[in-house]
Structure formats: structure tokens, C-alpha cells
Amino acid sequence: MSQSLTIPRPDDWHLHLRDGAVLRAVLPETARHFGRAIIMPNLVPPVVTGKDAAAYRDRIMAALPEGITFEPLMTLYLTEETDPNDVAAAHQNGLIRAVKLYPAGATTNSASGVRDFEKVRGVLDTMAEIGLTLCVHGEVTDAEIDIFDREAVFIDRVLDPLRRATPGLRVVMEHITTSNGVDYVKAHDAGLGATITTHHLVINRNHLLVGGIRPHYYCLPVAKREEHRLALRAAATSGDARFFLGTDSAPHTDPNKESDCGCAGCFTATNTLSILAEVFEQEGALPRLAGFASKHGPAFYGLPVNTETITLTKGDPVSYPQKIDTEDGPVTVFDPQMLLHWDVSQ
């Protein structure tokens, strides 16, 4: 006997679409189910000005299949040369919804990120004044810090001092991966939120390393110990409005993943909602899926919940393509290593 759940059309509050051939191939995988998405700006070259964001938005809309409604929510890449006036103007005219902070070298295409935080003080102060959100990739990049400790150290060394120095700044800790991140969000006010990815609810570091290196489970921040995965699942399914979905779906072609220096990222856009329904059911929290996927994010960003709905129906196992073909090569879809019984329909 089938079981169904209808929720408002979800949004993705952290998404990589890339550009060119990859953009054209992967955009339909998100737009099929999601109404809006915060679009990451770490292209080559990065999206650093309002003019860049407008041009990128135009390319996204040109790649959108006919008959599908989808709104890209644009962001700017924060550099030490970012102009506060340009940021304010892009926010005022409705072009951008956030500014993205990458510590230099933290992840894919982050070489232009911030090294000296004093050099972006003027931008952060302006953002606090106008209510513009700062989305943070929360890892230090110091060579002496173990990769599995980078998020916890970032909270203590960078994020907490930054927030204390900029009262009123709204911050999203993106793709948190540790109980430290969960606890920090819980201990602070409504001006702080966190996104949690689909894949970090499913995998721990054993999935990446045991039995051989699994490049399609390699992401940044890297998956952590099982205790941290369980903390993320508890937070995502808790109903706490400070936690919401940001898939960090990050397409790379297989040759770029399966190499001696493979790129970081898990491509989850295609099957995210089926995976989430499975996870929330496992946690006895299906009624809270609508909050995590559809309501908490809009509330944080001051946007209305989508009026359209989607329906998830439980039945026989659902199959998804193993790869998405692009003109640049195939992109492997994230494998959750479990049967998915929840199908998605509009």
C-alpha cells in the first residue's frame, strides 16, 4: 500500500551549477524539483561584481528548459578587493541575496578567497547595515591543521570573532559537517543559520576511504566521523528552523573526479529529495521534512514559501540514472548505497 507526502516545492540554499555545457546539462536536474536556489559564485573567473552576477543569471535562465519555472538567487564572491558600494547596489536592486566567503584555498576555485579578514571589514559592515546575508565556507586552510579539524578550528578562530566584530551580520554556516557546527548554531540567535547537505546525512569518512578510495564521495568539507553524521541527522530532522537544506550539489565530470588529484564535490541534485525522504523516515521525522526542505530557508532569507507543491510517494524502489551526460563528459550521480522508495511528482 503506497504512502504519500505533499510539501511546498523545496528550495536549495547552496547549489553549484557551473557554466557552459555542464550548466546546460545539470540545471534541469535541480529545476525539476526545486523552485529556487542560492547559486554559488566560484566560477573561473569568479562572480565578483553585480555586473558578473547579472551576466551569470542571464546564462542560467537561457539554459533553463522551456516550461520549467525556476529562480536563481545570485551571490557575489567576496574578495579582498570587493567594493562595498557595488555590493549594496546589487542588493538594493534585487540582484543578489547573499555574499559568499571562501577562505583562500578552502575548496574548488577558491584561490581568490579571503586571506586577510581586515581587508573585507568595510564590506561586512555594509552587509550588516543593509541586512545582506554572508554565506560562509567554514574551514581554515592552515597547513598545520588536520583536514578533519578545519571546521571546528574555523568556528573558534574566524567565525566567532568575525560575528562579534560585526554585530547584526546575518550568517549562514554552509554545509556544516560536525557536532561542533550544530552546537554553535544552537547556542546563538536567529541571525545565524546553517545548511546541511544531503550527502553528509548519508556518508561518513569510512564511505570515502574503506575498501579503496571512492572519489565520488570526496567533498569539501570532507565527511567526518559517524558521531558527526548522527549529529547532523538529529539537527536536520529536529524541526529547528535554524537548519535548512543546502545540497552543495557540485558537478564535476568523471575525468576530473577520477584522477590523481580529483576535484571535491558530490552531485546530488538528481536524487536529493528521494534520499531525504528516506533519511527522515528512518529518523521517524517525515512530518518535519517540509520544514527542512521547504520552509526554514525562506524564513531565514525573508522570502515567502513556494505556493507550488510536490508529492513524494512511497512504493517500489526508485531508480535514477547513474550519470548525467554533458558535452564535456559524464557527471556521476551520488550513490546513497541504500534503496530509495520515495518517488517525486509535481
Side-chain angles (χ1 to χ4, degrees), residues 123-143:
V123 178
L124 299 179
D125 288 342
T126 295
M127 292 174 62
E129 291 173 8
I130 64 179
L132 182 60
T133 297
L134 179 69
C135 294
V136 174
H137 181 110
E139 293 187 288
V140 296
T141 56
D142 310 54

Side-chain angles (χ1 to χ4, degrees), residues 13-344:
W13 299 97
H14 183 130
L15 177 67
H16 296 270
L17 288 176
R18 311 303 186 204
D19 214 342
V22 173
L23 164 64
R24 293 190 294 272
V26 304
L27 176 58
E29 301 301 298
T30 287
R32 183 179 299 120
H33 296 151
F34 291 87
R36 298 168 291 205
I38 287 279
I39 308 300
M40 292 296 102
N42 58 331
L43 305 181
V44 180
V47 178
V48 296
T49 67
K51 182 179 179 181
D52 295 337
Y56 187 28
R57 182 186 59 186
D58 289 346
R59 296 196 298 277
I60 293 170
M61 296 308 294
L64 188 65
E66 187 175 351
I68 294 182
T69 301
F70 174 76
E71 182 181 4
L73 304 174
M74 308 308 295
T75 64
L76 296 183
Y77 187 121
L78 181 63
T79 74
E80 294 174 5
E81 289 75 42
T82 295
D83 180 357
N85 294 324
D86 183 63
V87 170
H91 170 68
Q92 184 176 15
N93 66 23
L95 176 61
I96 63 168
R97 292 289 177 176
V99 170
K100 180 62 184 280
L101 166 62
Y102 291 103
T107 188
T108 302
N109 300 337
S110 63
S112 301
V114 176
R115 299 181 187 276
D116 183 351
F117 284 86
E118 284 306 310
K119 293 183 178 179
V120 296
R121 174 63 48 208
V123 178
L124 299 179
D125 288 342
T126 295
M127 292 174 62
E129 291 173 8
I130 64 179
L132 182 60
T133 297
L134 179 69
C135 294
V136 174
H137 181 110
E139 293 187 288
V140 296
T141 56
D142 310 54
E144 70 272 14
I145 303 299
D146 189 285
I147 192 170
F148 293 103
D149 297 330
R150 287 180 170 184
E151 182 174 297
V153 173
F154 180 88
I155 292 169
D156 292 337
R157 285 191 187 176
V158 180
L159 181 59
D160 197 57
L162 183 152
R163 294 184 67 241
R164 292 179 185 276
T166 319
L169 180 65
R170 296 179 62 78
V171 174
V172 172
M173 296 174 63
E174 295 196 305
H175 46 46
I176 58 172
T177 59
T178 62
S179 60
N180 310 75
V182 171
D183 292 343
Y184 186 76
V185 172
K186 287 182 176 180
H188 292 82
D189 59 29
L192 178 67
T195 58
I196 300 176
T197 77
T198 310
H199 54 280
H200 285 118
L201 296 174
V202 175
I203 62 171
N204 60 34
R205 63 188 190 180
N206 280 0
H207 293 87
L208 172 64
L209 298 171
V210 172
I213 295 175
R214 312 282 181 170
H216 295 287
Y217 292 144
Y218 172 57
C219 55
L220 288 173
V222 69
K224 307 298 194 299
R225 292 179 181 271
E226 176 67 358
E227 65 194 73
H228 296 296
R229 185 184 76 93
L230 295 178
L232 296 176
R233 284 171 75 111
T237 60
S238 67
D240 188 327
R242 290 170 291 189
F243 300 103
F244 40 95
L245 176 63
T247 66
D248 193 19
S249 182
H252 294 284
T253 60
D254 286 356
N256 287 318
K257 289 288 289 181
E258 301 166 0
S259 72
D260 60 353
C261 189
C263 295
C266 296
F267 179 66
T268 58
T270 301
N271 54 3
T272 271
L273 291 179
S274 291
I275 297 172
L276 287 177
E278 206 77 34
V279 167
F280 273 68
E281 183 181 37
Q282 291 169 2
E283 297 295 323
L286 265 179
R288 295 176 181 161
L289 178 58
F292 179 71
S294 308
K295 297 179 180 180
H296 299 169
F300 186 91
Y301 279 92
L303 295 170
V305 173
N306 291 316
T307 56
E308 304 90 349
T309 62
I310 64 166
T311 297
L312 297 109
T313 303
K314 185 178 182 182
D316 294 332
V318 184
S319 62
Y320 287 96
Q322 292 184 331
K323 300 178 186 294
I324 302 299
D325 291 325
T326 83
E327 294 174 12
D328 292 340
V331 173
T332 291
V333 176
F334 177 76
D335 178 4
Q337 293 192 3
M338 61 181 172
L339 292 177
L340 302 177
H341 300 89
W342 291 88
D343 198 7
V344 186

